[in-house]
Amino acid sequence: MKTLISVISTFVLCVGLTLPGFAADGPVPGGPLAGEAIAQSVEFHKIAIQGHQDRAGVLEQKIQNLENRLDMFKNSYRDPKGFRSASWKRMVGAWRGELKEIRQHIVWHEEQIALLKA
């Protein structure tokens, strides 16, 4: 019985994935995978950099505020077992990781601008 169910579900999955291609009556546009290059302008990258910088600024402010709160909770009677400060430290670590990714995106966009100008 398990084999029959797995065969049926596999068949339905395969038919479900291929049916849109047949229904389109030709190739389905898919962007870069279909061989089409996406034209990106310098202005697009500048706007993306500005958006990333805005997000990074907000995130840096959040990190600073939470670190200030952590400093207030050091050796405090309000958090004797350290549960709150430990969770805040994990949150700061996650935000720092996200901030690092945002900065990598900014560098990538700057490299793309340099390539487009060359």
Side-chain angles (χ1 to χ4, degrees):
M1 189 67 175
K2 287 183 180 180
T3 307
L4 179 64
I5 292 173
S6 65
V7 169
I8 290 173
S9 62
T10 304
F11 177 74
V12 169
L13 181 65
C14 291
V15 170
L17 291 175
T18 57
L19 193 58
F22 293 123
D25 199 25
V28 178
L33 296 178
E36 301 172 2
I38 297 175
Q40 296 179 348
S41 67
V42 173
E43 190 63 31
F44 167 78
H45 290 292
K46 287 182 180 179
I47 292 170
I49 287 173
Q50 185 61 41
H52 288 310
Q53 286 175 341
D54 293 342
R55 283 183 41 215
V58 169
L59 205 52
E60 287 172 348
Q61 186 64 34
K62 283 183 173 182
I63 290 170
Q64 185 63 38
N65 288 341
L66 201 53
E67 285 177 342
N68 289 341
R69 291 180 75 182
L70 273 168
D71 287 340
M72 290 186 333
F73 266 77
K74 273 187 180 174
N75 301 324
S76 175
Y77 66 91
R78 292 178 275 176
D79 191 22
K81 294 187 179 181
F83 293 140
R84 185 174 294 167
S85 61
S87 66
W88 286 351
K89 286 177 184 177
R90 282 192 304 272
M91 191 179 301
V92 166
W95 285 346
R96 283 192 177 143
E98 188 176 338
L99 185 61
K100 182 180 177 183
E101 288 179 14
I102 290 172
R103 288 182 178 150
Q104 289 173 350
H105 287 296
I106 291 172
V107 169
W108 181 82
H109 283 291
E110 289 172 347
E111 290 173 353
Q112 294 301 312
I113 289 174
L115 287 174
L116 287 172
K117 287 185 176 180

